[in-house]
Amino acid sequence: MDPSLLLIILICIIILFVCIAFSNNYLIVKKYTYESEKIPSEFNGVKIVHISDLHSKRFGKNNGVLINKIEKLNPDYIFMTGDIIDKRENDIKKFIKELKPIFDKYVVYYSIGNHERALGYKKYVNYVKELEKCGVHVLRDDSMYIDSHEKINIVGLNFKDNIRYEKNYAGIDRDLTYLRSKSGQVDLNKFNILLAHDPLNFELYHKLGFDLIFSGHVHGGLIRVFKIGLLSPRRKLFPKYCVGKYVKNESTMFVSTGLGRATIPIRLFNHPEISLIKLKMKKVDENIEE
């Protein structure tokens, strides 16, 4: 082989590895504003930090880099949408201890992803128990009012991998009925928030009546080219919902690219992220004639 060609190939390989390393480890913050007429005045300006899919990854010693970034954002609440721990994590108590500074300082709501479910029953129960000892609100197919404020309902769904929304899929009504049985009947007079690990069911969440949805799971499509994600966890190309903000009528979903690495340990042009969502009360135009 021509030595000059070999050198070019070697340089390209080095550049690729540098890009992958940078994409996997350079932590970014994305900021959004969400407006709704249903947001109570007491929650106007509230800041929510959304993190997902940490997969037991450490950013700095004891996750100090991640914790410092969250503290600088000074959120009112933290929403965690699953796969915070990796199914291969051996030391649950050590992992939780590293995150305890944010559990001690902030109100945290947590929904379950596929990696929590894959811990195995005993480890899973122990993990949830340790989180709850730290004051984390672990929502496992149940709901509660945020800070006992009866105008804001928050629901957390357990991950279930055979729920899906696809065009002409015969099981849509069955899956909708199943999710409704887990989330409860949504009161449309309240402001309803959903924490659901899998964003690919956005249409179902919309049909259930949720106003604001937080998800992860897709890792931004792993490799992003021209802002398009390449692969979903269902091993399908170009997932429809993989990063950012999506709106369907009265429902809005924020999808995090996540923080850690998926089973396929590659991120390319796809940084780990923390999302900050600021709630804003949208005033009704009093001049509109009925």
Side-chain angles (χ1 to χ4, degrees), residues 61-77:
K61 185 178 179 180
N62 297 325
N63 250 320
V65 173
L66 174 64
I67 292 168
N68 287 338
K69 278 190 177 287
I70 290 173
E71 289 179 339
K72 286 180 180 178
L73 295 173
N74 192 30
D76 298 285
Y77 302 97

Side-chain angles (χ1 to χ4, degrees), residues 34 36 38 153 155 157 176 179-180 183-194 201-213 248-252:
Y34 170 80
S36 173
K38 293 174 71 176
N153 182 45
V155 174
L157 289 178
L176 190 61
L179 288 176
R180 186 172 283 118
S183 65
Q185 187 69 41
V186 173
D187 185 346
L188 299 180
N189 293 314
K190 301 183 187 298
F191 183 62
N192 296 284
I193 297 173
L194 175 66
N201 302 312
F202 181 33
E203 283 85 355
L204 288 175
Y205 307 148
H206 161 68
K207 286 177 179 290
L208 290 170
F210 285 100
D211 301 292
L212 185 55
I213 301 142
K248 186 175 180 63
N249 298 330
E250 300 303 315
S251 297
T252 298

Side-chain angles (χ1 to χ4, degrees), residues 35-275:
E35 290 185 274
S36 173
E37 296 171 359
K38 293 174 71 176
I39 293 174
S41 58
E42 306 93 304
F43 281 76
N44 187 40
V46 159
K47 294 188 295 183
I48 298 165
V49 157
H50 174 211
I51 63 176
S52 193
D53 298 272
L54 180 60
H55 286 277
S56 298
K57 182 176 174 64
R58 273 73 171 181
F59 291 89
K61 185 178 179 180
N62 297 325
N63 250 320
V65 173
L66 174 64
I67 292 168
N68 287 338
K69 278 190 177 287
I70 290 173
E71 289 179 339
K72 286 180 180 178
L73 295 173
N74 192 30
D76 298 285
Y77 302 97
I78 295 177
F79 293 170
M80 296 183 168
T81 51
D83 285 8
I84 302 302
I85 194 169
D86 193 87
K87 64 183 179 182
R88 293 160 291 194
E89 177 65 48
N90 293 316
D91 195 337
I92 287 175
K93 288 190 175 182
K94 182 176 184 294
F95 174 70
I96 290 178
K97 184 179 179 181
E98 291 174 358
L99 296 179
K100 200 169 184 299
I102 58 176
F103 295 154
D104 288 343
K105 190 171 183 178
Y106 304 105
V107 180
V108 180
Y109 295 90
Y110 189 123
S111 68
I112 299 300
N114 51 295
H115 272 251
E116 283 91 354
R117 298 294 297 270
L119 284 171
Y121 179 75
K122 289 183 69 174
K123 284 180 71 176
Y124 169 70
V125 170
N126 184 48
Y127 178 61
V128 172
K129 183 179 178 181
E130 292 297 322
L131 287 175
E132 291 177 336
K133 279 184 184 178
C134 296
V136 177
H137 301 291
V138 184
L139 299 170
R140 296 180 287 168
D141 288 340
D142 53 16
S143 65
M144 64 189 305
Y145 294 124
I146 289 187
D147 283 349
S148 300
H149 196 296
E150 294 188 6
K151 291 182 180 179
I152 297 192
N153 182 45
I154 184 166
V155 174
L157 289 178
N158 278 350
F159 178 85
K160 195 171 190 298
D161 59 9
N162 63 346
I163 297 292
R164 63 187 187 276
Y165 185 98
E166 295 173 4
K167 190 175 181 181
N168 299 323
Y169 170 53
I172 287 174
D173 290 339
R174 181 203 67 198
D175 288 352
L176 190 61
T177 299
Y178 172 83
L179 288 176
R180 186 172 283 118
S181 73
K182 297 301 181 181
S183 65
Q185 187 69 41
V186 173
D187 185 346
L188 299 180
N189 293 314
K190 301 183 187 298
F191 183 62
N192 296 284
I193 297 173
L194 175 66
L195 308 184
H197 186 60
D198 190 352
L200 301 178
N201 302 312
F202 181 33
E203 283 85 355
L204 288 175
Y205 307 148
H206 161 68
K207 286 177 179 290
L208 290 170
F210 285 100
D211 301 292
L212 185 55
I213 301 142
F214 294 84
S215 293
H217 188 48
V218 185
H219 292 254
L222 299 181
I223 297 171
R224 297 188 61 77
V225 181
F226 303 115
K227 298 184 177 180
I228 298 173
L230 181 65
L231 187 65
S232 85
R234 294 177 184 169
R235 305 297 186 263
K236 292 187 177 181
L237 294 174
F238 312 119
K240 186 175 182 180
Y241 305 113
C242 61
V243 59
K245 180 179 179 180
Y246 300 92
V247 178
K248 186 175 180 63
N249 298 330
E250 300 303 315
S251 297
T252 298
M253 179 172 69
F254 290 100
V255 182
S256 171
T257 66
L259 291 161
R261 296 185 294 182
T263 303
I264 302 173
I266 295 175
R267 280 180 177 266
L268 188 57
F269 313 121
N270 176 28
H271 293 291
E273 71 174 38
I274 301 169
S275 301

